[in-house]
Amino acid sequence: MAGPRVVIIGAGVVGAALADEISARGWTEVTVVDQGPLPATGGSSSHAPGLVFQTNHSKTMTELARYTVEKFCSLDVDGEPCFLQVGGLEVATTPERLDELHRRHGWITAWGIESRLLTPDECVQRHPLVDRDKVLGGLHVPTDGLAKAVLAVEAQIRRATGRGVRFLARHEVLDVRQSEGRVTGVLTDRGEIPADIVVCCAGIWGPRIARMVGMNLPLTPLAHQLAWTGPVPALAGQTEEAVRPILRHQDADLYYRDRYDGLGIGSYGHRPMPVSADDILAVDEAEGMPSVLKFTEEDFEEAWTETQALLPATREAKVEEGINGLFSFTTDGYPLLGESPDVKGFWVAEAVWVTHSAGVGRAVAEWLVDGHCTSFDLHECDVNRFEPHQLAPEYVLARDCRNFAEVYDILHPLQPSGEPRPIRTSPFHARQQRHGAFFLEANGWERPQWYEANAPLVEGRTIPTPNDWAARYWSPVVGAEAQVTRETVAMYDMTALKRLEVTGPGAADFLEGLVTGKVAKSVGSVTYTLLLDHDGGIRSDITVARLARDHFQVGANGNLDLDWFIRHLPADGRVQVRDVTPGTCCIGLWGPLAREVLQPLTDDDFSADGLKYFRARRAHIGSVPVTAMRLSYVGELGWELYTTADLGQKLWDTLWAAAEPLGGIIAGRGAFNSLRLEKGYRSFGTDMTYEHDPYEAGVGFAVRLDKADFIGKAALERRKAAVRRRLTCLTIDDPRSVVMGKEPVYDGDRAVGYVTSAAYGYTIGKGIAYAWLPAELAVPGTTVHIGYFDRRVEAVVAEEPLFDPAMSRLRG
């Protein structure tokens, strides 16, 4: 036996995949327990219809699905295949859905999977039951298909068992044992199993298991309707289980699959039906499977009517059976993967559907065995990504039910997440409402996108109107606010920026071991630097300000940064890390007149020499104590001004009284995004993620390889000379062709990359898109084309930054 003692709770499609993947990597002292029989354990895997559509707006989710398809295609049980690769077909019955299919075609092309847009006639050729007059077009992915989930479980159990993994059926987990903050074992109704690592793959029971170690899992089981027709006369004589593509009719929240001479019909169009994990019956208590609830025919009536309209042949058939099957939903639609923040050795792999199961098995196996995942970028899936309010039961239930209702909806990239709102408001909120702020949500914060009070600024300016899709959640006021920021001065609410406080006698050494730059510098220094994983991938980009000898303020990207810091704290207690965001606020004061606004309000010296670029100091602005940092994400002279939440409104009023007479404005995130792209400033999670290294992403300047060791340094030294792709600045001349992000980029007919961030540059008068391209194409002057819906948009590789390359405005 090799490796630590691992207990996997749950032998469904995720637990079986993890057992297979982890044992293939040499860890074989593994025990998998499940309360049900094997291989059909009674969870979601046992009743899942098995449709695997790989198309997803998330590159990571698509790649997890692609690996699942590839693996399942290689599996069989005594010659019976685990995957029927019949292809996938999504059809449009409205013009809006047809546009969406073009967008989805762009995603999957960008992520490297073959697909094709079909005419109505071609849709009928692929799936003859479809009414030709009902559809406007379709998207076909030939590698999609039907996963035989229970067979796949059995096949992976056999492989893992052959390497020494134990599978224990009919073992109900009663408790997860722990001592001194670490797991020590799993207590079942048949005894205790010692463990160094416990991985919860319990699916719809996941919240119940996680609670055994005090972990709040933001997951809700919801019932989803699946019905089976009797024989459809048009399918008479079909002896193969499936010959037609799996089919999506997303305009009606429906999907379909073959079953010999009948059809399976799945519906998301009914009311959300949440179930508490505590109310799900045990295996021996349920009549059939505990994950299957009684079919509610009244909820299926509309689905059956829509089915008969799209597939007229079903009018000659009847619905003969159905279930309300339980599946896991999360607040943002992504899985929950990773280790508990409080109990070492307790891991979760939850809210994973069959579509992504084998990919997740591989990802978590790599993470456990190697200490990091190299095959997939998991920042969207990390269970520790949530802010505290996002774990509140009311929030979780509301957002999980909304995600169920929106599974097949056409969602705009900027579309708000809905209720409950508002949740977090900055001290400036009342003032922003008076100025007609149009709010969007950022980590729960209400953040202005623009201000209607600035509408008069549009008059006399050239503010091109983008295309209809890009014009949603947009106003010409965005362009005016961007231009005025460059002309005079603007105030930006930066409160949503995550702020961490790192203190203690070991703080400097602690940070030096985590970041790529030199931060143990003089008091008042501010450093832009990176957090890396052990493989050299970028975990985050942060700013570190040294406010005192043993006191640092970190501008972070989210809760994963806080989690990373806490996990690496020294055991001797010489360092403390605290999230100070809720009790503080921040105003970005930027523009060529910023000094004229600020200097008269303070006795401190804010001249170019008095507070130099990338320096910080404590000062008073009027009667408000602030921490002022001379840095700017918009490329203009100015400061980030931090104070406590109780004094935030006073700071706002003080600055506004001084800025307004000079023609200053308050401005929103729309302008901010345009200005930051003109300066070429990257956004973590959008432009660069765990899969990218600093040299590819164009932030190699933030790396000091000559400093002492830091996490990821050894890997960077290997990667520096092997840059094969680059984050590249593209410009677009046509103002109507502003793209939104995640579109494919073509060199001729070949898809070579994808867009990350995009906006119109109101200073330079061009559209801007950042994209990942092969290094040989990332040469200024190179022409490429961006796939945008059904068009190709010409774009040219440009030198960056596009605005003020000499940095004179920032340093003035």
Side-chain angles (χ1 to χ4, degrees):
M1 294 296 205
R5 298 169 300 177
V6 179
V7 174
I8 298 171
I9 301 173
V13 74
V14 179
L18 176 56
D20 180 34
E21 296 283 342
I22 201 171
S23 61
R25 285 162 176 77
W27 283 16
T28 55
E29 197 166 345
V30 178
T31 302
V32 184
V33 298
D34 199 292
Q35 63 179 333
L38 300 177
T41 62
S44 301
S45 304
S46 302
H47 67 72
L51 287 80
V52 176
F53 288 96
Q54 297 166 87
T55 307
N56 196 290
H57 69 278
S58 163
K59 182 172 182 281
T60 295
M61 296 298 280
T62 296
E63 289 175 341
L64 291 169
R66 173 167 48 195
Y67 180 78
T68 300
V69 167
E70 291 170 353
K71 182 174 183 180
F72 282 11
C73 282
S74 72
L75 298 176
D76 70 89
V77 175
D78 300 330
E80 187 175 354
C82 295
F83 195 80
L84 306 178
Q85 201 157 43
V86 293
L89 175 62
E90 302 180 27
V91 295
T93 60
T94 63
E96 294 78 13
R97 182 65 62 179
L98 187 61
D99 286 343
E100 173 73 353
L101 292 188
H102 281 282
R103 194 163 71 109
R104 294 173 69 80
H105 173 62
W107 295 340
I108 202 162
T109 300
W111 312 148
I113 294 179
E114 178 190 354
S115 66
R116 183 166 170 257
L117 290 159
L118 304 184
T119 65
D121 287 334
E122 290 172 322
C123 291
V124 175
Q125 289 171 10
R126 298 281 182 183
H127 203 299
L129 298 189
V130 170
D131 185 344
R132 162 65 178 75
D133 296 331
K134 185 80 171 173
V135 299
L136 304 179
L139 173 64
H140 181 245
V141 180
T143 53
D144 286 347
L146 282 169
K148 310 279 286 184
V150 175
L151 274 183
V153 168
E154 184 172 356
Q156 293 175 101
I157 286 176
R158 289 185 181 187
R159 285 160 50 126
T161 301
R163 302 186 192 103
V165 174
R166 286 194 309 161
F167 284 82
L168 302 179
R170 300 285 184 179
H171 281 61
E172 182 182 357
V173 173
L174 303 178
D175 195 13
V176 177
R177 301 298 201 193
Q178 53 183 302
S179 176
E180 297 181 350
R182 291 199 64 92
V183 296
T184 60
V186 172
L187 178 65
T188 77
D189 58 351
R190 300 195 182 189
E192 185 166 339
I193 306 168
D196 305 303
I197 294 172
V198 174
V199 187
C200 179
C201 303
I204 53 178
W205 291 278
R208 186 192 300 179
I209 300 297
R211 224 171 23 247
M212 294 175 181
V213 297
M215 189 175 184
N216 188 355
L217 210 58
L219 179 161
T220 302
L222 281 110
H224 160 55
Q225 289 203 305
L226 176 66
W228 299 97
T229 72
V232 178
L235 305 181
Q238 180 174 320
T239 57
E240 295 181 60
E241 180 177 353
V243 296
R244 278 164 293 278
I246 54 176
L247 178 66
R248 268 178 172 165
H249 177 23
Q250 291 167 294
D251 286 317
D253 296 309
L254 292 166
Y255 64 76
Y256 306 93
R257 57 153 293 175
D258 285 9
R259 188 171 72 167
Y260 301 102
D261 61 352
L263 290 176
I265 307 167
S267 172
Y268 290 101
H270 55 82
R271 61 192 169 90
M273 294 183 273
V275 176
S276 169
D278 294 326
D279 294 335
I280 302 171
L281 297 176
V283 171
D284 293 332
E285 296 173 342
E287 288 185 17
M289 287 186 284
S291 61
V292 172
L293 306 182
K294 184 180 178 182
F295 189 61
T296 48
E297 293 182 6
E298 64 276 12
D299 290 305
F300 196 72
E301 290 176 359
E302 186 177 345
W304 183 233
T305 300
E306 289 287 348
T307 295
Q308 293 175 313
L310 180 70
L311 309 175
T314 60
R315 296 169 190 167
E316 300 180 66
K318 294 181 179 179
V319 174
E320 292 195 345
E321 57 182 306
I323 64 170
N324 286 359
L326 295 177
F327 288 94
S328 300
F329 282 79
T330 61
T331 56
D332 57 8
Y334 291 106
L336 307 173
L337 311 179
E339 188 181 21
S340 161
D342 302 313
V343 180
K344 292 186 182 301
F346 184 82
W347 289 67
V348 298
E350 290 290 354
V352 181
W353 293 3
V354 173
T355 299
H356 309 103
S357 58
V360 165
R362 178 176 179 174
V364 175
E366 289 181 355
W367 200 348
L368 286 166
V369 175
D370 301 330
H372 57 272
C373 177
T374 55
S375 296
F376 309 99
D377 163 32
L378 296 181
H379 85 275
E380 294 170 319
C381 307
D382 194 312
V383 70
N384 297 296
R385 64 189 180 268
F386 300 103
E387 296 289 326
H389 75 273
Q390 294 171 322
L391 299 175
E394 177 185 277
Y395 179 95
V396 171
L397 180 61
R399 290 290 170 94
D400 288 357
C401 288
R402 183 182 178 92
N403 278 333
F404 175 90
E406 292 180 343
V407 161
Y408 283 170
D409 284 6
I410 299 170
L411 301 177
H412 191 274
L414 296 178
Q415 188 163 322
S417 299
E419 297 300 325
R421 279 184 70 193
I423 298 176
R424 308 174 85 180
T425 56
S426 78
F428 323 131
H429 187 69
R431 300 294 188 259
Q432 292 164 344
Q433 288 178 308
R434 289 184 192 174
H435 283 80
F438 180 85
F439 291 101
L440 295 180
E441 184 184 349
N443 291 326
W445 293 98
E446 294 296 313
R447 184 168 67 186
Q449 192 74 358
W450 70 82
Y451 294 87
E452 286 298 331
N454 289 330
L457 298 173
V458 175
E459 187 175 348
R461 296 179 180 274
T462 301
I463 310 291
T465 300
N467 56 80
D468 291 345
W469 183 249
R472 297 188 189 183
Y473 306 101
W474 176 88
S475 165
V477 175
V478 169
E481 290 177 358
Q483 291 179 354
V484 172
T485 302
R486 298 256 188 253
E487 295 163 1
T488 58
V489 64
M491 293 164 51
Y492 288 83
D493 181 358
M494 300 298 291
T495 302
L497 175 72
K498 188 83 162 175
R499 292 173 292 285
L500 307 179
E501 182 182 78
V502 182
T503 57
D509 290 340
F510 167 71
L511 288 168
E512 284 288 335
L514 292 180
V515 304
T516 61
K518 183 72 173 175
V519 296
K521 299 187 290 190
S522 61
V523 172
S525 64
V526 183
T527 306
Y528 173 82
T529 187
L530 308 171
L531 299 175
L532 304 181
D533 215 325
H534 294 274
D535 65 348
I538 300 170
R539 289 195 61 95
S540 189
D541 65 334
I542 62 176
T543 56
V544 179
R546 191 171 200 174
L547 304 181
R549 183 179 182 275
D550 297 328
H551 183 179
F552 295 81
Q553 181 172 309
V554 176
N557 280 298
N559 214 57
L560 289 180
D561 294 346
L562 174 61
D563 180 68
W564 187 252
F565 278 12
I566 290 173
R567 288 184 188 279
H568 290 88
L569 281 173
D572 59 12
R574 289 169 50 82
V575 183
Q576 296 81 44
V577 175
R578 189 165 67 98
D579 181 2
V580 298
T581 312
T584 56
C585 57
C586 178
I587 295 173
L589 180 71
W590 295 310
L593 300 184
R595 188 171 284 120
E596 293 181 40
V597 171
L598 194 65
Q599 189 60 77
L601 301 175
T602 179
D603 293 332
D604 290 278
D605 184 1
F606 278 85
S607 66
D609 292 328
L611 186 61
K612 295 182 178 180
Y613 186 52
F614 264 82
R615 297 289 296 179
R617 73 145 55 100
R618 292 201 169 105
H620 285 85
I621 306 302
S623 57
V624 180
V626 302
T627 297
M629 298 186 194
R630 192 175 165 199
L631 48 144
S632 166
Y633 209 51
V634 302
E636 293 291 338
L637 168 69
W639 302 267
E640 290 179 357
L641 302 170
Y642 299 88
T643 192
T644 51
D646 59 320
L647 293 170
Q649 187 169 288
K650 180 63 175 177
L651 176 62
W652 180 279
D653 291 344
T654 301
L655 292 172
W656 179 237
E660 187 180 24
L662 298 177
I665 61 167
I666 54 178
R669 189 69 179 189
F672 179 93
N673 196 51
S674 170
L675 297 170
R676 72 104 177 164
L677 287 177
E678 288 184 331
K679 281 299 293 179
Y681 292 146
R682 277 65 168 145
S683 174
F684 178 80
T686 303
D687 298 316
M688 54 191 186
T689 66
Y690 293 5
E691 68 174 299
H692 306 115
D693 72 45
Y695 306 110
E696 298 171 328
V699 288
F701 64 87
V703 177
R704 290 277 301 272
L705 287 177
D706 59 342
K707 62 173 277 190
D709 195 27
F710 56 86
I711 292 176
K713 180 181 179 182
L716 272 195
E717 291 172 333
R718 295 190 298 269
R719 295 176 68 156
K720 185 176 182 180
V723 174
R724 298 185 180 91
R725 57 184 174 177
R726 293 191 185 278
L727 184 60
T728 307
C729 179
L730 305 176
T731 58
I732 302 166
D733 287 335
D734 180 5
R736 289 278 301 167
S737 297
V738 173
V739 300
M740 296 292 294
K742 301 192 177 182
E743 297 87 0
V745 180
Y746 295 90
D747 177 30
D749 292 330
R750 181 173 62 110
V752 292
Y754 59 92
V755 173
T756 57
S757 295
Y760 190 77
Y762 297 100
T763 311
I764 66 167
K766 291 178 183 287
I768 306 168
Y770 272 78
W772 282 100
L773 295 181
E776 63 271 18
L777 292 178
V779 178
T782 301
T783 298
V784 294
H785 289 82
I786 300 171
Y788 190 61
F789 290 92
D790 60 348
R791 299 186 292 121
R792 297 285 178 92
V793 175
E794 185 176 285
V796 178
V797 176
E799 294 272 9
E800 58 173 330
L802 299 169
F803 177 78
D804 188 26
M807 305 282 281
S808 59
R809 296 171 75 101
L810 278 167
R811 299 178 184 277

